[in-house]
Amino acid sequence: MNSLTSPPDNLGVTAGQLNPCPASPNCVCSTDPSVSHQITPLAFTDSSEQARQRLVTILEQYPGCQIVQSEEHYLQAEFRTRWLRFVDDVEFLIEPRQNVIQVRSASRVGYSDLGTNRKRIEAIRQKFAQSTP
């Protein structure tokens, strides 16, 4: 496998948090201390189980998205671009005590994503808010 198909080694949860973004501007993360990478987590008022199911439903309907890891409080998905088949890795960490879902979205290759990862998370946020019971 090559870098276009192999997931990077900086995915997952470390010390209870999603990993920070690399220095490149093709990543956003709600737990990253860098202002340029910072994005607001998804908020929920229903149970964490209901919020997780709503998120899974949104991801399953999203074009080019495949959920590759699904745990009680963690989801990892790959978003493949339609034309060039580039992959973005998107992660969600559900924090039931804070009623938030931490998010991280990063391009697998390249330097700039022209804001694609931020736009995607904001689109997911909008669909997630609209699905609130």
Side-chain angles (χ1 to χ4, degrees):
M1 291 216 275
N2 61 36
S3 64
L4 293 177
T5 57
S6 300
D9 57 7
N10 63 345
L11 298 178
V13 179
T14 304
Q17 289 191 11
L18 297 174
N19 290 307
C21 290
S24 57
N26 62 0
C27 177
V28 294
C29 181
S30 58
T31 58
D32 195 297
S34 164
V35 173
S36 64
H37 293 120
Q38 187 59 230
I39 194 162
T40 304
L42 307 178
F44 61 89
T45 56
D46 47 346
S47 73
S48 61
E49 294 83 8
Q50 291 169 315
R52 181 189 184 285
Q53 187 52 54
R54 289 191 295 120
L55 179 59
V56 166
T57 299
I58 290 165
L59 295 176
E60 288 175 342
Q61 296 171 355
Y62 217 98
C65 177
Q66 179 182 4
I67 297 173
V68 295
Q69 188 174 347
S70 179
E71 298 174 8
E72 182 181 5
H73 293 143
Y74 176 79
L75 294 168
Q76 178 192 345
E78 293 177 354
F79 284 77
R80 206 168 286 278
T81 61
R82 192 167 155 191
W83 300 110
L84 297 175
R85 311 301 290 160
F86 290 126
V87 177
D88 293 337
D89 295 291
V90 183
E91 301 174 277
F92 302 91
L93 178 63
I94 301 166
E95 296 188 327
R97 291 183 182 157
Q98 288 79 28
N99 282 19
V100 297
I101 301 174
Q102 301 294 347
V103 297
R104 183 181 189 274
S105 184
S107 300
R108 198 171 278 183
V109 297
Y111 182 74
S112 175
D113 68 348
L114 304 175
T116 299
N117 285 293
R118 186 173 297 278
K119 289 175 195 164
R120 178 185 302 114
I121 294 300
E122 293 304 341
I124 291 171
R125 179 190 317 287
Q126 183 177 11
K127 291 176 186 203
F128 187 76
Q130 291 170 347
S131 72
T132 299

